[in-house]
Amino acid sequence: MRTEITKEELDIQRRWMAETAERSAALPAKPLAFVDTYGCQQNEADSEKLRGMLREMGYGFTETEAEADVIVLNTCAIREHAEMRILGNVGALTHTKKAKPGQIICLCGCMVQRPGMAEKIKRSYPIVDIVFGPHAVWRFPELLSRRLQQKKRLFATEPSEGAVAEGLPEYRQDGPKAWLSIMYGCNNFCSYCIVPYVRGRERSREAKYVLEDARKLALAGYKDITLLGQNVNSYGKDLEGPDFADLLRMVCDVPGDFLVRFMTSHPKDAGERLFRAMAESEKAARHIHLPFQAGSNRILAAMNRRYTREEYLAKVALARSYMPDVVLTSDVIVGFPGETEEDFADTLSLVEKVGFDSLFTFEYSRRPGTPAAEMENQIPKAEAQKRFDALTALQNRISGEKHAAYVGTTQKVLVDGFTGDERGPLNARTNGGRLVHLMGDKSLLGQYVEVEITDSTTWSLYGKLKEGGNQGA
Ligand code: 5AD
Ligand code: SF4
């Protein structure tokens, strides 16, 4: 059952926010917060909400731990390596807190929702004041207020199927790009993945709220909107309303000069309706991130992915038949339990066959509580590393070739960053999301410009502004 947090419950949080805002205003200087985000875009979107709530509570922002009155680490649980890094960083905060007594340290996100983790933090990390999982983000004002009033440490990591909270304040990152969450949670239970256990069941936001947000973003001048969900193709299955393909059309129909992308699609649900909607919507970016995870049918079955290699390849061919120029990116795991040399050869051959524009390659990480963690034949680290290197080398060659094919073409790109790099101080993105380095000054930030692609590397493109190629803001 899909649960929506009621207006009354959210009003209570608003009252907590007002109370903390009063407390902040009475301080000699504006209190400062530092929100540090690990992991995926869903976490980035949650952090924008946390920043929004902090801003309403009278906080300013800093990027240094030492200055912060409140530190929030929004954590990730997808791989063990990420968790080790986060716990190392938490340990290091002992010194920061010593130098600034009264500093409040909050840990939230997927890692703390993992069974046993809250107890571990309670025991081993006494400097942490507040611990709350992804289901309790909307209750952050209450947790922070309570901690400001009393010394007691607070933990809000009860297991939950999850709910939908509408109308929380948001403080978005600078720049022309915006995240727009359309659904939360995942029902797929891929056998290696911890996400369904920590983010709860799939729940969709009602289309009217998504469209309201899209209109606001367009009016505010955002030029690149990414619809977010763990599995966006499942959007709407729990509601009576549009499915994902229809929602995409509706968002693209919102007036304004912007592109719409989405992350992430599961191949089992991505199909003709979606590809047609993309092809028929001018504002839908020609980019699909379609994780395949493995090239061998035996491993795909053990992963509980519910498609075969042949079905995946057929979907790619179908997508390309609708959009010949579509940019395809993907995720893949090497070293899944029981993966033989032959299975891995199937992964290499799938990568070669598809020719992805780029690929996120991960070494399998054993996540306690998932079925794959209990499987026999866990692959030794050295072997997984060897496969990782071989796959990276192959993909680097393919990405290099894909990028080289852009040289000499003209692209409309969105300028979205400034690095100051000598060969191209501006960063921009093509419609399909490829990175272009560009000569030019900061005044072009946030604008679409026409560029000629002059050079390429494995990872990016270099471009030159075309005469009169400035398309305006
Ligand atoms: N080990 C390695 N990679 C993983 N991913 C998810 N769980 C694991 C795991 N246990 C990868 C998948 C997914 C991406 C976000 O992270 O490829 O698509
Ligand atoms: Fe994890 Fe699979 Fe759900 Fe993606 S679809 S979040 S990999 S369980």
Side-chain angles (χ1 to χ4, degrees), residues 78 185-196 230-231 264 266 293 305:
I78 204 127
C186 181
N187 288 355
N188 288 327
F189 290 95
C190 300
S191 64
Y192 50 81
C193 186
I194 195 73
V195 169
Q230 229 61 245
N231 174 18
T264 292
H266 193 299
Q293 312 296 7
R305 290 291 289 178

Side-chain angles (χ1 to χ4, degrees), residues 40 77-80 190-195 230 264 289 291-293 305 330-334 336 360-367 370 372:
C40 68
I78 204 127
R79 280 170 289 275
E80 191 184 8
C190 300
S191 64
Y192 50 81
C193 186
I194 195 73
V195 169
Q230 229 61 245
T264 292
H289 183 68
F292 73 97
Q293 312 296 7
R305 290 291 289 178
S330 196
D331 296 343
V332 55
I333 296 175
V334 298
F336 185 81
F360 296 90
T361 304
F362 303 105
E363 262 178 51
Y364 168 73
S365 172
R366 193 174 186 169
R367 304 284 59 214
T370 61

